[in-house]
Amino acid sequence: MGFEEATPIQEGTIRLGMEGKDIIGQAQTGTGKTTAFGIPLIEKIDTRDGNVQGLVIAPTRELAIQVSEELYNLGKDKNVRILSVFGGQEIGRQIRALKNRPQIIVGTPGRLLDHINRRTLKLENVNTLVLDEADEMLNMGFIEDIQSIMSNVPDTRQTLLFSATMPDPIRRIAEKFMKTPEIVKIKSKEMTVENIEQFFVKSVEREKFDILSRLLNVQQPELAIVFGRTKRRVDELAHALNLRGYLAEGIHGDLSQAKRMSVLKQFKANKIDILVATDVAARGLDISGVSHVYNFDIPQDPESYVHRIGRTGRAGKKGVAVTFVTPREMGYLSIVERTTKKKMEALVPPTADEAVIGLQRVAMEQLETMTEKNNLGSYRELATEMLDKHDAVDLVAAALKTLTKDPEDAPVQITEERPLPSRGGGGYKGKGGGRSSGGGYKGKGGSGRPSSGGYKGRRESSSSSRPSGGGRPGRTRRHES
Ligand SMILES: Nc1ncnc2c1ncn2[C@@H]1O[C@H](COP(=O)(O)OP(=O)(O)OP(=O)(O)O)[C@@H](O)[C@H]1O
Ligand SMILES: [Mg+2]
């Protein structure tokens, strides 16, 4: 696969995994955890045996597909048969595929249970169980399903749990399902990746969108993901970004699976520049070229923050993350910072003029690329004709002005989202809105929250807190709107 050396988590877990140990593996986003569990899993498969021997559970359909693809790459020389099963795909097709005797199944909890109940999936020969994004899988929304699935897997199995985050209460739950697990935690100063520059923008709700579009113009991401809190938010943001001339599409749980897959495919193929998403795209997705992540709404819990911004800065690459915070939500910012052990820098929103400069730069690059392509044919004759009549600088300036459309003219409609409930001194609750209620864990809210007031002004007044261009200029294409 072209990897030259093992990443720390791979070095720390592959040998243990091959020895058959239960493992809780924790390492930062984008550091190769899939391969860390993938190699021991693949190595253990007996290719003469047509039973399901390995089961990987992932929280989202897109992640299940991605993990199955990576396992396929790892196992293809050995001819290991791998199948992904997930909701939203025709079940008949999956049932037929299950008859082809796959040896590893990668699936989402609901659909796995469906197959277990229909007796189309038998797990009595499974000797390796993997929970990717383990803390999410053992959190309120999934825990009951996971327990039911586990009850169908022999107790003698090896259990491998991986995630970039593992809050203590969840780790304690995890250990109940494991046999004296080895805890392999790759030490780092921060929970987030050092290569990601992290900023926050303090803004009232109604100004967020204009600031976002200005930031996009100034920072010029190669590919960007914008996270919103709700499905409606995602729909409105994607629509509004299109009105402003960006190539953006939304992804969330209410869309058909066909649509979800096509949006992701277009994004990976760089046919769209901005993916607007709910937390459905927060975990595990590995998409090369994502240079910027914008949290249009600050996430409810710090783990979600870690995973969202971890969609950039993967495998040693650089990234930029910008989180919008309304004044009432500043408490959440401190909680995130305390959990990640990393302070975000305050970002002064670009002015409309600065944003236009960004657009002018894009126009300039468009003209330059066009010139370099050198296939201007009859346009050259027209140009010569025009140069007889006008000053050359005036003409180029006019061409630039024509190409630079000030997008803030386009009116957009974004419904105001209620701010997160204001934080008292207490901890935050783990994910709300799960399928089961109650339970949950109390996160690291803690008491004695330090006031974030002190450093803010200083940083805000420093112009160096602005990301220097942020990415390769001129990447975010704008379509004719
Ligand atoms: N040893 C390696 N050397 C170089 N690149 C690697 C290596 N192992 C994995 N990668 C690549 O690094 C990228 C990130 O890997 P992966 O998706 O497994 O990260 P992860 O740790 O699971 O992240 P997340 O916490 O976001 O799920 C992938 O593109 C993968 O192919
Ligand atoms: Mg992963």
Side-chain angles (χ1 to χ4, degrees):
M1 287 165 77
F3 301 161
E4 288 172 13
E5 53 183 352
T7 63
I9 189 71
Q10 292 164 359
E11 197 170 318
T13 57
I14 291 176
R15 199 186 309 272
L16 285 174
M18 305 224 319
E19 285 167 6
K21 297 261 174 33
D22 278 7
I23 300 173
I24 297 180
Q26 187 183 349
Q28 291 167 323
T29 50
T31 57
K33 292 186 287 295
T34 319
T35 303
F37 64 72
I39 290 178
L41 175 62
I42 296 282
E43 285 291 330
K44 260 173 83 178
I45 300 297
D46 177 355
T47 46
R48 291 159 306 181
D49 178 352
N51 289 305
V52 176
Q53 301 158 54
L55 176 65
V56 182
I57 318 181
T60 64
R61 300 162 181 186
E62 288 72 19
L63 185 57
I65 297 170
Q66 180 186 300
V67 169
S68 71
E69 286 168 352
E70 180 134 355
L71 294 178
Y72 171 80
N73 286 331
L74 288 169
K76 66 172 177 248
D77 287 341
K78 196 177 161 178
N79 287 321
V80 178
R81 290 189 298 275
I82 294 156
L83 178 68
S84 57
V85 296
F86 46 86
Q89 197 189 44
E90 198 208 329
I91 196 145
R93 180 174 144 194
Q94 291 175 0
I95 292 172
R96 283 193 297 280
L98 281 162
K99 290 190 176 135
N100 294 330
R101 307 187 65 90
Q103 290 144 330
I104 296 178
I105 302 290
V106 185
T108 50
R111 186 54 67 95
L112 285 171
L113 275 177
D114 199 349
H115 282 294
I116 292 170
N117 294 334
R118 288 166 187 256
R119 303 191 192 290
T120 45
L121 173 62
K122 298 205 172 57
L123 300 176
E124 63 257 18
N125 292 296
V126 168
N127 50 37
T128 316
L129 172 70
V130 182
L131 301 189
D132 194 14
E133 305 299 340
D135 56 330
E136 172 78 351
M137 306 308 305
L138 298 173
N139 208 338
M140 291 157 65
F142 286 117
I143 181 86
E144 286 165 21
D145 287 354
I146 297 299
Q147 280 177 298
S148 319
I149 296 170
M150 280 189 184
S151 66
N152 288 276
V153 179
D155 286 338
T156 50
R157 64 162 191 266
Q158 177 183 15
T159 309
L160 305 175
L161 307 194
F162 280 80
S163 182
T165 51
M166 185 57 72
D168 287 339
I170 301 274
R171 201 201 62 241
R172 284 194 286 275
I173 296 173
E175 286 171 356
K176 288 190 197 142
F177 300 114
M178 306 176 83
K179 293 180 294 288
T180 52
E182 300 275 351
I183 297 174
V184 181
K185 183 171 174 178
I186 301 307
K187 285 215 169 57
S188 55
K189 223 167 62 241
E190 304 148 16
M191 193 181 268
T192 43
V193 176
E194 298 82 16
N195 285 352
I196 307 175
E197 282 189 275
Q198 298 179 47
F199 300 96
F200 75 90
V201 178
K202 190 172 170 184
S203 161
V204 293
E205 178 68 25
R206 66 177 179 283
E207 286 171 9
K208 281 183 184 177
F209 186 76
D210 280 343
I211 297 175
L212 172 67
S213 51
R214 287 177 193 175
L215 279 173
L216 288 168
N217 296 338
V218 171
Q219 298 184 331
Q220 292 296 323
E222 185 179 348
L223 292 180
I225 304 183
V226 176
F227 284 102
R229 193 170 294 147
T230 60
K231 294 165 190 164
R232 179 183 67 183
R233 186 70 141 187
V234 165
D235 287 337
E236 289 187 353
L237 276 172
H239 183 67
L241 285 167
N242 275 290
L243 286 178
R244 291 273 167 99
Y246 303 98
L247 298 168
E249 287 265 15
I251 190 165
H252 59 65
D254 276 357
L255 300 175
S256 71
Q257 189 52 28
K259 176 73 181 169
R260 281 165 67 161
M261 279 154 80
S262 91
V263 167
L264 206 60
K265 194 169 156 197
Q266 284 180 287
F267 188 55
K268 285 183 184 166
N270 293 17
K271 292 196 175 116
I272 53 179
D273 294 325
I274 303 172
L275 182 70
V276 188
T278 55
D279 273 322
V280 75
R283 284 189 179 243
L285 296 187
D286 184 62
I287 300 164
S288 67
V290 177
S291 56
H292 289 66
V293 170
Y294 299 92
N295 286 314
F296 193 73
D297 300 305
I298 188 167
Q300 291 222 14
D301 61 284
E303 285 74 26
S304 165
Y305 176 83
V306 171
H307 293 279
R308 282 182 179 188
I309 75 159
R311 296 319 97 212
T312 185
R314 301 177 70 72
K317 296 212 182 68
K318 285 197 183 326
V320 173
V322 180
T323 299
F324 288 79
V325 201
T326 61
R328 281 185 56 186
E329 292 168 336
M330 288 304 281
Y332 285 84
L333 189 79
S334 332
I335 292 170
V336 168
E337 289 181 330
R338 219 165 336 128
T339 308
T340 60
K341 301 201 179 75
K342 166 85 183 172
K343 288 258 184 222
M344 294 175 223
E345 273 191 60
L347 185 67
V348 185
T351 62
D353 286 346
E354 285 170 315
V356 169
I357 293 170
L359 292 178
Q360 288 169 337
R361 219 172 44 209
V362 177
M364 197 174 78
E365 278 169 20
Q366 281 178 319
L367 276 188
E368 276 172 348
T369 317
M370 196 57 110
T371 313
E372 279 156 22
K373 277 194 190 147
N374 211 5
N375 57 350
L376 296 167
S378 59
Y379 287 92
R380 291 181 55 89
E381 286 160 34
L382 286 174
T384 317
E385 226 173 86
M386 290 180 86
L387 278 166
D388 282 343
K389 283 188 262 168
H390 305 279
D391 174 60
V393 174
D394 282 348
L395 275 179
V396 177
L400 284 169
K401 190 169 177 188
T402 314
L403 282 172
T404 309
K405 292 197 186 68
D406 186 358
E408 288 191 28
D409 301 341
V412 298
Q413 165 75 37
I414 309 273
T415 312
E416 292 207 2
E417 190 84 356
R418 265 187 309 165
L420 292 171
S422 57
R423 302 240 37 92
Y428 74 97
K429 287 271 235 166
K431 294 226 165 47
R435 263 173 287 168
S436 49
S437 58
Y441 66 93
K442 287 270 232 166
K444 308 191 179 64
S447 52
R449 178 160 45 93
S451 142
S452 57
Y455 71 91
K456 238 175 20 205
R458 186 161 49 79
R459 290 233 200 126
E460 259 176 2
S461 60
S462 138
S463 60
S464 65
S465 68
R466 204 78 54 67
S468 45
R472 273 135 286 198
R475 290 306 178 89
T476 308
R477 289 158 295 170
R478 307 173 65 83
H479 61 69
E480 302 298 312
S481 53

XYZ file of all heavy atoms in Angstrom, residues 33-34 37 63 66-67 132-133 284 314, ligand 2:
84
model
N -5.280 3.991 12.365
C -5.857 2.990 13.257
C -6.502 1.851 12.463
O -6.529 0.711 12.915
C -6.869 3.639 14.219
C -6.190 4.579 15.228
C -7.144 5.110 16.280
C -8.121 6.145 15.757
N -7.490 7.411 15.305
N -7.028 2.151 11.286
C -7.686 1.106 10.489
C -6.705 -0.030 10.189
O -7.035 -1.212 10.358
C -8.203 1.691 9.156
O -8.761 2.979 9.402
C -9.232 0.792 8.520
N -5.787 -2.225 13.345
C -6.618 -3.411 13.649
C -6.758 -4.306 12.423
O -7.003 -5.500 12.538
C -7.985 -3.040 14.244
C -8.934 -2.263 13.361
C -9.574 -2.858 12.284
C -9.233 -0.924 13.638
C -10.477 -2.145 11.494
C -10.129 -0.202 12.850
C -10.753 -0.815 11.772
N -18.573 5.076 6.761
C -17.357 4.572 7.398
C -17.258 3.056 7.207
O -16.168 2.529 6.959
C -17.324 4.942 8.886
C -16.018 4.558 9.596
C -14.799 5.177 8.935
C -16.067 4.950 11.068
N -15.865 2.527 3.837
C -14.446 2.884 3.771
C -13.564 1.831 4.449
O -12.531 1.432 3.911
C -14.240 4.246 4.436
C -12.802 4.718 4.439
C -12.653 6.001 5.248
O -13.269 7.011 4.929
N -11.856 5.954 6.296
N -13.990 1.371 5.624
C -13.186 0.375 6.340
C -13.136 -0.924 5.537
O -12.086 -1.553 5.411
C -13.744 0.133 7.766
C -13.090 -1.074 8.415
C -13.538 1.374 8.632
N -14.782 -0.060 15.590
C -14.081 1.152 15.177
C -14.902 2.306 15.748
O -16.120 2.213 15.837
C -14.022 1.217 13.649
C -13.024 2.267 13.169
O -12.209 2.749 13.988
O -13.047 2.601 11.966
N -14.238 3.375 16.137
C -14.913 4.477 16.845
C -15.591 3.922 18.094
O -16.774 4.179 18.360
C -15.932 5.174 15.924
C -15.374 5.674 14.599
C -14.271 6.712 14.788
O -14.199 7.322 15.869
O -13.458 6.895 13.870
N -14.044 9.174 11.386
C -13.373 8.127 10.612
C -13.138 8.411 9.137
O -12.239 7.824 8.545
N -4.603 14.879 8.126
C -4.437 13.433 8.273
C -3.119 12.949 7.689
O -2.613 13.526 6.742
C -5.613 12.710 7.605
C -6.942 13.118 8.219
C -8.114 12.473 7.537
N -8.230 11.039 7.778
C -8.604 10.504 8.924
N -8.891 11.277 9.935
N -8.693 9.193 9.051
Mg -10.450 5.440 11.811
